[in-house]
């Protein structure tokens, strides 16, 4: 894809050796549509070519990190021909972020849900505000996690706990997510102060050695992540055809509990 793709749904600022990528759809709680996803990919690829940047901070403008995939896209009756390119955009974003030759931090305030949570998990370090809420909540509308979540959850939690988190789909507090190892830090006080402290610590370390360790592990794990993203793409298409998914969406719109039948 072109590195020149432009969108106001992603804002990039640079301060010395630190770049901050901000998702900029505050009115939609930074729900991720195709333009935002493509914008993030383009900016990440630009940053990957800059020797001046060592740390990339990912954040969301307003009241949320990201509420997940854009609901209009989720609710649309797009066919397989339209659906797969969207999933391919998501896969490109996740593999680009995971493999980036920079240290990456997700700064979570408000909600990080669904695809938004998958995005955060693709970074090296997650720091969350004490009042934030994190949820791998695809199951609530009869879907499976995407954005490589099966890979990241299994890496962080192990297979058994990963399945439990996916199947429960519950909203977790930052402290609950920290306790099971899903995130690395809960800000004790002001979130921005905690982020500044983490960045300052990293900038005073031999960052290139840290990045080389990241790249070795990323290269080792890349084939598995690519396979998971492929399995999620085809698996999600199958789930979109189920009776339970249609009931999940209907219940969501009608603001009631879904009546799942396992079909």
């Amino acid at each position: 894809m072109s590195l020149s793709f432009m969108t106001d749904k992603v804002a990039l600022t640079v301060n010395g050796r630190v770049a901050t990528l901000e998702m900029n759809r505050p009115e939609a709680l930074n729900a991720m549509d195709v333009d935002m996803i493509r914008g993030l990919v383009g900016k990440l690829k630009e940053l990957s070519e800059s020797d001046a940047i060592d740390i990339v901070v990912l954040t969301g403008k307003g009241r949320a990190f990201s509420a997940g995939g854009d609901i209009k896209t989720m609710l649309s009756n797009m066919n397989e021909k339209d659906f797969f390119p969207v999933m391919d955009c998501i896969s490109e974003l996740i593999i680009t972020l995971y493999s980036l030759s920079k240290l990456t931090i997700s700064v979570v305030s408000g909600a990080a849900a669904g695809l938004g949570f998958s995005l955060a998990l693709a970074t090296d370090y997650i720091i969350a505000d004490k009042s934030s809420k994190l949820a791998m909540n695809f199951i609530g509308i009869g879907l499976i996690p995407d954005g490589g979540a099966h890979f990241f959850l299994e890496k962080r939690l192990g297979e058994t706990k990963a399945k439990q988190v996916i199947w429960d789909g519950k909203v977790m507090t930052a402290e609950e997510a920290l306790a099971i190892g899903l995130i690395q830090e809960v800000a004790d006080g002001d979130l921005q102060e905690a982020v500044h402290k983490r960045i300052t610590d990293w900038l005073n370390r031999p960052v290139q050695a840290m990045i080389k360790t990241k790249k070795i592990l990323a290269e080792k794990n890349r084939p598995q992540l690519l396979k998971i993203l492929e399995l999620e793409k085809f698996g999600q298409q199958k789930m979109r055809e189920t009776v339970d998914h249609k009931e999940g969406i209907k219940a969501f719109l009608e603001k009631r509990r879904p009546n799942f039948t396992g079909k």
Side-chain angles (χ1 to χ4, degrees):
M1 66 175 286
S2 170
L3 298 188
S4 62
F5 179 78
M6 299 294 290
T7 176
D8 60 3
K9 295 174 182 178
V10 179
L12 171 64
T13 56
V14 176
N15 181 12
R17 294 158 60 196
V18 181
T20 299
L21 269 181
E22 183 180 59
M23 293 176 278
N24 185 30
R25 293 187 73 204
E27 74 289 349
L29 298 179
N30 298 314
M32 299 168 67
D33 62 8
V34 174
D35 282 352
M36 180 186 282
I37 293 166
R38 291 179 67 198
L40 286 167
V41 171
K43 293 299 183 188
L44 287 169
K45 289 190 173 183
E46 286 176 22
L47 291 170
S48 73
E49 297 178 353
S50 170
D51 292 334
I53 301 298
D54 288 327
I55 298 174
V56 176
V57 178
L58 186 61
T59 188
K61 186 173 185 177
R63 296 183 295 116
F65 178 78
S66 173
D70 183 74
I71 197 71
K72 289 179 182 175
T73 301
M74 288 167 60
L75 294 178
S76 71
N77 292 316
M78 70 170 79
N79 59 33
E80 183 177 301
K81 182 169 172 265
D82 299 319
F83 177 74
F84 284 162
V86 173
M87 294 298 287
D88 288 339
C89 281
I90 292 170
S91 296
E92 185 177 16
L93 170 58
I94 296 302
I95 201 72
T96 301
L97 178 57
Y98 178 70
S99 303
L100 192 69
S101 56
K102 317 290 178 188
L103 302 180
T104 55
I105 304 176
S106 286
V107 180
V108 175
S109 60
L115 181 59
F117 196 9
S118 299
L119 184 70
L121 290 168
T123 59
D124 301 314
Y125 196 93
I126 302 175
I127 180 169
D129 186 72
K130 195 169 284 187
S131 63
S132 61
K133 303 293 182 184
L134 304 102
M136 193 55 65
N137 53 351
F138 293 86
I139 196 80
I141 52 171
L143 293 178
I144 59 170
D146 53 33
H150 289 87
F151 171 86
F152 297 118
L153 291 173
E154 194 271 338
K155 284 289 183 187
R156 290 181 184 237
L157 305 179
E159 182 179 332
T160 301
K161 286 183 180 177
K163 285 189 289 189
Q164 206 59 54
V165 166
I166 292 167
W167 292 346
D168 286 349
K170 74 171 190 173
V171 177
M172 290 173 278
T173 66
E175 295 288 358
E176 287 172 331
L178 178 67
I180 64 172
L182 273 178
I183 67 175
Q184 282 91 340
E185 185 178 346
V186 177
D188 185 17
D190 183 73
L191 179 60
Q192 293 310 315
E193 282 184 20
V195 173
H196 177 72
K197 184 178 178 182
R198 171 55 49 197
I199 290 172
T200 301
D201 176 67
W202 279 4
L203 289 176
N204 286 309
R205 292 173 180 266
V207 172
Q208 293 309 312
M210 296 170 70
I211 291 172
K212 179 55 71 176
T213 288
K214 169 182 177 168
K215 290 296 290 180
I216 288 170
L217 293 173
E219 282 301 308
K220 168 187 170 286
N221 293 326
R222 183 183 176 90
Q224 185 187 1
L225 176 55
L226 286 168
K227 183 63 176 178
I228 289 289
L229 288 164
E230 179 187 23
L231 291 169
E232 288 177 345
K233 176 171 77 169
F234 290 101
Q236 199 71 291
Q237 176 61 21
K238 287 293 185 185
M239 293 307 98
R240 283 167 53 88
E241 298 168 357
T242 63
V243 174
D244 278 347
H245 172 60
K246 293 177 175 64
E247 164 62 12
I249 291 295
K250 193 165 184 284
F252 175 83
L253 293 173
E254 295 172 0
K255 297 180 179 179
R256 60 171 174 80
R257 288 178 64 86
N259 179 30
F260 293 131
T261 60
K263 303 293 185 185

